[in-house]
Amino acid sequence: MPHLLLVIVLLLPISLSAAESTSVPAKPPLIFVYDSYLIEPYVFIHNGHITGGIYWELAQLIGAQLQQPIQFQRSPRRRMEQFLAEGRAHVLLLTNPAWMTAPEALSWTVRVSREKDVIVQAQGRRFDMHSLDNLLGKRLGTVQGYQYQGFAEEPYLSLIIRDDAKSIPTNFTRLLRARLDALIAPDIVVGYLFKEQYDPNAFHVVQTWSMEHDIFSAVSPKSPVSAEQLSDVYRKLHQERKLEEVFKKYR
């Protein structure tokens, strides 16, 4: 019996060592970066943490598909590219290469969705709107740091009075106070604010002009998940109509 116990004791460390060597290491978290001024319905913040919204739901779907833990990293708007380049964050969910200063430094997924910016005017102070030419000489409520297609070209750069605010709700308030001639915002945000915060009867959403653009995800070169892997997830979610369901929920 003593000899048998000695054999068992000698074999035990070997067995434990073999078990340790075959265990699967935990996957590193996939870190999603978001703009510190991003608002509902993109993110719902409670006690400094994302608890819901489009970003939260998309990240949950991605994490489930990849069986990957997820985290969120808040960043000042001007530093999001730096966070991605350094690997402090891995994915910026909804963006466009044209809005980046160095898009070639990042990898890009297939299209996630299509977004539409609309012009909102105050009732009683409406004007014809068929092209950017109709905004010449107008004071337009925009968001600080945001890029708007065509606005950087002349004569629009010089003659559209871009009046930046930190958030879209601030521009709605300024429009009501006649401090702006109009504002520009994504239609999904406009629709949400009309349901939750502002009386839609006080405003007019222009139907004769809008600006559409494709939305992609930007992926860090140091991400544990490649842009192609993320694209595969998006293709599957599109096929299952799950992406469309997320956006439809907040319209």
Side-chain angles (χ1 to χ4, degrees):
M1 182 65 70
H3 295 291
L4 179 59
L5 288 174
L6 179 60
V7 170
I8 292 173
V9 170
L10 289 173
L11 287 176
L12 186 58
I14 298 173
S15 300
L16 288 174
S17 177
E20 289 171 359
S21 65
T22 58
S23 63
V24 178
K27 288 185 176 181
L30 187 61
I31 305 172
F32 295 89
V33 65
Y34 68 99
D35 180 351
S36 56
Y37 289 116
L38 203 62
I39 63 169
E40 300 175 1
Y42 291 111
V43 293
F44 292 82
I45 306 293
H46 181 69
N47 292 333
H49 300 285
I50 293 184
T51 58
I54 294 171
Y55 269 53
W56 187 88
E57 294 203 27
L58 291 179
Q60 297 297 325
L61 286 172
I62 291 166
Q65 289 291 326
L66 295 171
Q67 296 186 327
Q68 190 102 12
I70 62 171
Q71 291 181 5
F72 291 97
Q73 173 67 56
R74 186 180 181 186
S75 165
R77 186 176 300 142
R78 66 182 182 276
R79 296 184 62 192
M80 287 195 295
E81 281 190 69
Q82 180 184 344
F83 274 41
L84 290 168
E86 295 175 351
R88 295 170 64 182
H90 301 138
V91 179
L92 175 56
L93 275 171
L94 303 177
T95 186
N96 185 292
W99 303 340
M100 297 291 191
T101 57
E104 68 282 355
L106 304 171
S107 298
W108 294 88
T109 66
V110 295
R111 189 180 77 176
V112 181
S113 66
R114 191 162 178 80
E115 191 173 82
K116 180 168 68 174
D117 286 338
V118 295
I119 296 292
V120 181
Q121 303 167 351
Q123 289 287 10
R125 290 186 286 112
R126 294 164 58 169
F127 56 89
D128 289 340
M129 182 69 206
H130 301 282
S131 72
L132 288 181
D133 291 342
N134 297 116
L135 292 175
L136 298 179
K138 302 292 187 184
R139 183 171 295 276
L140 184 68
T142 50
V143 175
Q144 182 179 351
Y146 277 26
Q147 303 294 323
Y148 300 93
Q149 183 180 341
F151 280 54
E153 303 169 4
E154 294 293 355
Y156 312 114
L157 178 63
S158 299
L159 297 181
I160 295 177
I161 306 169
R162 176 171 174 160
D163 196 334
D164 283 350
K166 289 186 176 180
S167 72
I168 294 170
T170 299
N171 281 333
F172 269 90
T173 300
R174 295 197 299 160
L175 183 59
L176 281 175
R177 294 174 179 173
R179 293 171 58 188
L180 300 171
D181 294 305
L183 65 84
I184 185 169
D187 63 338
I188 195 168
V189 175
V190 171
Y192 181 82
L193 289 175
F194 282 167
K195 287 191 296 184
E196 301 293 333
Q197 191 169 347
Y198 294 100
D199 178 6
N201 295 316
F203 301 94
H204 169 67
V205 179
V206 169
Q207 302 298 317
T208 53
W209 182 90
S210 62
M211 183 182 295
E212 294 189 358
H213 38 260
D214 291 329
I215 298 296
F216 308 86
S217 290
V219 182
S220 166
K222 299 182 180 181
S223 170
V225 173
S226 70
E228 187 53 42
Q229 287 176 290
L230 195 51
S231 293
D232 287 341
V233 171
Y234 286 146
R235 292 185 187 101
K236 186 173 187 296
L237 293 175
H238 272 302
Q239 189 175 32
E240 296 172 351
R241 305 293 298 173
K242 289 184 178 179
L243 286 180
E244 288 74 10
E245 289 172 7
V246 170
F247 288 99
K248 184 178 179 180
K249 178 179 177 180
Y250 294 97
R251 290 192 183 280

